[in-house]
Amino acid sequence: MTATRRTLLGFIAAVCMSTNSAAQEVTLRLHQFLPAQANVPAHILDVWADKVEADSNGRIKIDRFPAMQLGGTPPQLIDQAIDGVADIIWTVAGYTPGRFPQLEVFELPFISADAEATSRAYWELAEARMMDTDFAAFKPLGLWVHGPGLIHSSRPITDVADLNGLKLRAPTRTTTTMFTGLGATSVGMPVPAVPEALSKGVIDGAVIPWEVVPALKVHELVTNHTEFGDAHLYTTAFIFAMNHDAYNGLPDDLKAVIDANSGLEFSAFAGRTMQDYDAPGRALAEEAGNTIISLTPEQVDAWRAASQPTIDNWIAEADAAGIDGAGLYEAATALIAKHSASN
C-alpha cells in the first residue's frame, strides 16, 4: 500500500469517526415514576425528549427510564437529579414535604384556574422568587400543575361532613393538611401506590385528577367521583429538572437546545396537555357505570369556606418562616388571573 493510499484511508477513517461522534455527543438519562404508557411520559416527557433529540441533530440522546427503573422511590427522584444518579427527572414536589415551601402556594385549595394559566404563573413566580432558593440545587426545565383535582372514593362524597372517617390518599403536605382539617384521615403516598392501597383497603379513596385514572385503573377500584364544577379543589405542583453538572457539561449549542425546549412555554404546554387528558379518564368512569357527583356552585362554596383555614394557616406558617406568605399568595393569584384572562 502506498503512503498516499494509507494517508487517504486514514483521513476517511478519521472523518467517519468524527461523523459518528458528532451524531451522538451525549446521552442523558431521564427518570420518572409512572409507566411509559401513562399520559405524562407518553404525551409530555417523550414529546420533549424527541424534540431535543431532533433539534440537536441526534447529538443529544435521551434514554428514558419509567417506573423508577433506575432504582429508588419517587420521593428520592429530586435527590437523584442533584446527585447525578439521573441526569433529568420528573417528580411531584410534594413527595418531599416542606422542601419547596414557596411553590406550595399553587397547591392551596381553590387557587388554581385552568392548568395552563396556573402553570404559566408557577414558572413566572419561580423565576422571580425560587430559582436561587428552592431550586438552586438543580436546573428547572419545566414547572407545571395538573387540571382539576377531585375525590375518587368507595362511598359518595357530597358534603364536607361526608369525609369524616374516610381514609383518603393525598399527594402533598398542603392537601394532607386540608383534608385532615376537613375531617378525613389523610394518608400521604406517591401515586403509583394508590391501586394497591385501594384494593387492600388501606385507603377508601384518593384525590387525583381524571388524567391519571386510566394508568392507575382507579375507575375499577372505586365507584364514586366528586367533581367541583369549574373550581379546582386542589392541584399538584410538578418539577421537571436537570442535574447542574450534566447541563454545564454540554457545549453551548447543546445548552441552547435544552433551553429552547424548556421554560415558560414548555410548562404551559405540559399543564395544558395534562388537563386535555382529563376527558378520557372521565369517560372510563362513565363507561364503567360509576357515579359522578357534580357539585352545585352553592355546594362548592361550602367546601371553599371550609377550606379557607388551610390557606390562612399556610400564610401564617410561611410568614413565620420569613417567606411572606401573604405576598406570595397575592402574587400567585394575580399571575393566575393574568394568564386566565389571556387564555
Side-chain angles (χ1 to χ4, degrees), residues 198 213-214 216-223 225 284-285 288 290:
L198 282 172
V213 162
L216 303 181
K217 300 188 183 303
V218 169
H219 59 293
E220 299 176 6
L221 297 167
V222 302
T223 56
H225 314 269
L284 286 177
N290 292 356

PDB file of all heavy atoms in Angstrom, residues 198 213-214 216-223 225 284-285 288 290:
ATOM      1  N   LEU A 198     -55.834   0.979  47.504  1.00  0.00           N
ATOM      2  CA  LEU A 198     -57.290   0.895  47.360  1.00  0.00           C
ATOM      3  C   LEU A 198     -57.761  -0.554  47.392  1.00  0.00           C
ATOM      4  O   LEU A 198     -58.750  -0.891  48.061  1.00  0.00           O
ATOM      5  CB  LEU A 198     -57.729   1.549  46.051  1.00  0.00           C
ATOM      6  CG  LEU A 198     -57.786   3.073  46.012  1.00  0.00           C
ATOM      7  CD1 LEU A 198     -58.046   3.557  44.591  1.00  0.00           C
ATOM      8  CD2 LEU A 198     -58.862   3.617  46.961  1.00  0.00           C
ATOM      9  N   VAL A 213     -56.299   8.558  36.001  1.00  0.00           N
ATOM     10  CA  VAL A 213     -57.210   7.442  36.286  1.00  0.00           C
ATOM     11  C   VAL A 213     -56.943   6.225  35.400  1.00  0.00           C
ATOM     12  O   VAL A 213     -56.880   5.091  35.903  1.00  0.00           O
ATOM     13  CB  VAL A 213     -58.677   7.906  36.176  1.00  0.00           C
ATOM     14  CG1 VAL A 213     -59.630   6.723  36.019  1.00  0.00           C
ATOM     15  CG2 VAL A 213     -59.056   8.710  37.418  1.00  0.00           C
ATOM     16  N   PRO A 214     -56.761   6.380  34.080  1.00  0.00           N
ATOM     17  CA  PRO A 214     -56.536   5.185  33.255  1.00  0.00           C
ATOM     18  C   PRO A 214     -55.282   4.401  33.646  1.00  0.00           C
ATOM     19  O   PRO A 214     -55.326   3.165  33.703  1.00  0.00           O
ATOM     20  CB  PRO A 214     -56.400   5.758  31.836  1.00  0.00           C
ATOM     21  CG  PRO A 214     -57.149   7.041  31.870  1.00  0.00           C
ATOM     22  CD  PRO A 214     -56.893   7.598  33.234  1.00  0.00           C
ATOM     23  N   LEU A 216     -53.844   4.155  36.511  1.00  0.00           N
ATOM     24  CA  LEU A 216     -53.994   3.518  37.823  1.00  0.00           C
ATOM     25  C   LEU A 216     -55.213   2.604  37.907  1.00  0.00           C
ATOM     26  O   LEU A 216     -55.367   1.885  38.893  1.00  0.00           O
ATOM     27  CB  LEU A 216     -54.110   4.596  38.915  1.00  0.00           C
ATOM     28  CG  LEU A 216     -52.974   5.606  39.019  1.00  0.00           C
ATOM     29  CD1 LEU A 216     -53.240   6.567  40.167  1.00  0.00           C
ATOM     30  CD2 LEU A 216     -51.630   4.908  39.218  1.00  0.00           C
ATOM     31  N   LYS A 217     -56.094   2.664  36.893  1.00  0.00           N
ATOM     32  CA  LYS A 217     -57.336   1.884  36.874  1.00  0.00           C
ATOM     33  C   LYS A 217     -58.216   2.180  38.089  1.00  0.00           C
ATOM     34  O   LYS A 217     -58.905   1.301  38.627  1.00  0.00           O
ATOM     35  CB  LYS A 217     -57.036   0.382  36.777  1.00  0.00           C
ATOM     36  CG  LYS A 217     -56.250   0.010  35.510  1.00  0.00           C
ATOM     37  CD  LYS A 217     -56.145  -1.477  35.333  1.00  0.00           C
ATOM     38  CE  LYS A 217     -55.292  -1.833  34.122  1.00  0.00           C
ATOM     39  NZ  LYS A 217     -55.788  -1.248  32.868  1.00  0.00           N
ATOM     40  N   VAL A 218     -58.208   3.437  38.499  1.00  0.00           N
ATOM     41  CA  VAL A 218     -58.989   3.837  39.668  1.00  0.00           C
ATOM     42  C   VAL A 218     -60.481   3.639  39.432  1.00  0.00           C
ATOM     43  O   VAL A 218     -61.236   3.309  40.366  1.00  0.00           O
ATOM     44  CB  VAL A 218     -58.670   5.301  40.036  1.00  0.00           C
ATOM     45  CG1 VAL A 218     -59.648   5.846  41.077  1.00  0.00           C
ATOM     46  CG2 VAL A 218     -57.244   5.409  40.565  1.00  0.00           C
ATOM     47  N   HIS A 219     -60.925   3.776  38.191  1.00  0.00           N
ATOM     48  CA  HIS A 219     -62.345   3.604  37.883  1.00  0.00           C
ATOM     49  C   HIS A 219     -62.812   2.168  38.122  1.00  0.00           C
ATOM     50  O   HIS A 219     -64.013   1.913  38.205  1.00  0.00           O
ATOM     51  CB  HIS A 219     -62.621   3.997  36.430  1.00  0.00           C
ATOM     52  CG  HIS A 219     -61.837   3.196  35.436  1.00  0.00           C
ATOM     53  ND1 HIS A 219     -60.466   3.283  35.310  1.00  0.00           N
ATOM     54  CD2 HIS A 219     -62.230   2.276  34.516  1.00  0.00           C
ATOM     55  CE1 HIS A 219     -60.054   2.462  34.364  1.00  0.00           C
ATOM     56  NE2 HIS A 219     -61.109   1.835  33.865  1.00  0.00           N
ATOM     57  N   GLU A 220     -61.860   1.231  38.227  1.00  0.00           N
ATOM     58  CA  GLU A 220     -62.211  -0.154  38.524  1.00  0.00           C
ATOM     59  C   GLU A 220     -62.147  -0.453  40.024  1.00  0.00           C
ATOM     60  O   GLU A 220     -62.603  -1.506  40.466  1.00  0.00           O
ATOM     61  CB  GLU A 220     -61.260  -1.101  37.790  1.00  0.00           C
ATOM     62  CG  GLU A 220     -61.306  -0.967  36.272  1.00  0.00           C
ATOM     63  CD  GLU A 220     -60.288  -1.849  35.572  1.00  0.00           C
ATOM     64  OE1 GLU A 220     -59.625  -2.658  36.266  1.00  0.00           O
ATOM     65  OE2 GLU A 220     -60.147  -1.732  34.344  1.00  0.00           O
ATOM     66  N   LEU A 221     -61.590   0.476  40.794  1.00  0.00           N
ATOM     67  CA  LEU A 221     -61.339   0.234  42.214  1.00  0.00           C
ATOM     68  C   LEU A 221     -62.280   1.011  43.127  1.00  0.00           C
ATOM     69  O   LEU A 221     -62.444   0.659  44.291  1.00  0.00           O
ATOM     70  CB  LEU A 221     -59.883   0.584  42.552  1.00  0.00           C
ATOM     71  CG  LEU A 221     -58.835  -0.277  41.831  1.00  0.00           C
ATOM     72  CD1 LEU A 221     -57.450   0.337  41.973  1.00  0.00           C
ATOM     73  CD2 LEU A 221     -58.850  -1.702  42.393  1.00  0.00           C
ATOM     74  N   VAL A 222     -62.867   2.098  42.607  1.00  0.00           N
ATOM     75  CA  VAL A 222     -63.890   2.837  43.359  1.00  0.00           C
ATOM     76  C   VAL A 222     -65.052   3.120  42.414  1.00  0.00           C
ATOM     77  O   VAL A 222     -64.920   3.007  41.192  1.00  0.00           O
ATOM     78  CB  VAL A 222     -63.346   4.162  43.938  1.00  0.00           C
ATOM     79  CG1 VAL A 222     -62.160   3.922  44.859  1.00  0.00           C
ATOM     80  CG2 VAL A 222     -62.967   5.137  42.824  1.00  0.00           C
ATOM     81  N   THR A 223     -66.170   3.510  42.981  1.00  0.00           N
ATOM     82  CA  THR A 223     -67.372   3.711  42.149  1.00  0.00           C
ATOM     83  C   THR A 223     -67.924   5.125  42.230  1.00  0.00           C
ATOM     84  O   THR A 223     -68.939   5.416  41.594  1.00  0.00           O
ATOM     85  CB  THR A 223     -68.471   2.726  42.567  1.00  0.00           C
ATOM     86  OG1 THR A 223     -68.733   2.879  43.977  1.00  0.00           O
ATOM     87  CG2 THR A 223     -68.047   1.284  42.294  1.00  0.00           C
ATOM     88  N   HIS A 225     -67.079   9.460  42.195  1.00  0.00           N
ATOM     89  CA  HIS A 225     -66.133  10.500  41.810  1.00  0.00           C
ATOM     90  C   HIS A 225     -66.816  11.849  42.020  1.00  0.00           C
ATOM     91  O   HIS A 225     -67.893  12.089  41.467  1.00  0.00           O
ATOM     92  CB  HIS A 225     -65.729  10.354  40.342  1.00  0.00           C
ATOM     93  CG  HIS A 225     -65.374   8.946  39.953  1.00  0.00           C
ATOM     94  ND1 HIS A 225     -64.095   8.447  40.025  1.00  0.00           N
ATOM     95  CD2 HIS A 225     -66.153   7.923  39.505  1.00  0.00           C
ATOM     96  CE1 HIS A 225     -64.086   7.184  39.618  1.00  0.00           C
ATOM     97  NE2 HIS A 225     -65.333   6.834  39.302  1.00  0.00           N
ATOM     98  N   LEU A 284     -63.863   6.835  31.015  1.00  0.00           N
ATOM     99  CA  LEU A 284     -63.754   5.461  31.519  1.00  0.00           C
ATOM    100  C   LEU A 284     -64.663   5.241  32.721  1.00  0.00           C
ATOM    101  O   LEU A 284     -65.280   4.175  32.851  1.00  0.00           O
ATOM    102  CB  LEU A 284     -62.299   5.162  31.902  1.00  0.00           C
ATOM    103  CG  LEU A 284     -61.318   4.949  30.750  1.00  0.00           C
ATOM    104  CD1 LEU A 284     -59.911   4.732  31.310  1.00  0.00           C
ATOM    105  CD2 LEU A 284     -61.724   3.752  29.895  1.00  0.00           C
ATOM    106  N   ALA A 285     -64.741   6.232  33.600  1.00  0.00           N
ATOM    107  CA  ALA A 285     -65.632   6.110  34.757  1.00  0.00           C
ATOM    108  C   ALA A 285     -67.092   6.052  34.318  1.00  0.00           C
ATOM    109  O   ALA A 285     -67.893   5.296  34.881  1.00  0.00           O
ATOM    110  CB  ALA A 285     -65.401   7.275  35.716  1.00  0.00           C
ATOM    111  N   ALA A 288     -67.857   2.663  32.921  1.00  0.00           N
ATOM    112  CA  ALA A 288     -67.936   1.660  33.980  1.00  0.00           C
ATOM    113  C   ALA A 288     -69.243   1.753  34.770  1.00  0.00           C
ATOM    114  O   ALA A 288     -69.525   0.895  35.616  1.00  0.00           O
ATOM    115  CB  ALA A 288     -66.749   1.810  34.930  1.00  0.00           C
ATOM    116  N   ASN A 290     -69.971   4.170  36.854  1.00  0.00           N
ATOM    117  CA  ASN A 290     -69.715   4.771  38.154  1.00  0.00           C
ATOM    118  C   ASN A 290     -70.556   6.026  38.362  1.00  0.00           C
ATOM    119  O   ASN A 290     -71.082   6.602  37.405  1.00  0.00           O
ATOM    120  CB  ASN A 290     -68.232   5.130  38.298  1.00  0.00           C
ATOM    121  CG  ASN A 290     -67.351   3.897  38.366  1.00  0.00           C
ATOM    122  OD1 ASN A 290     -67.839   2.774  38.382  1.00  0.00           O
ATOM    123  ND2 ASN A 290     -66.046   4.103  38.415  1.00  0.00           N
TER     124      ASN A 290
END
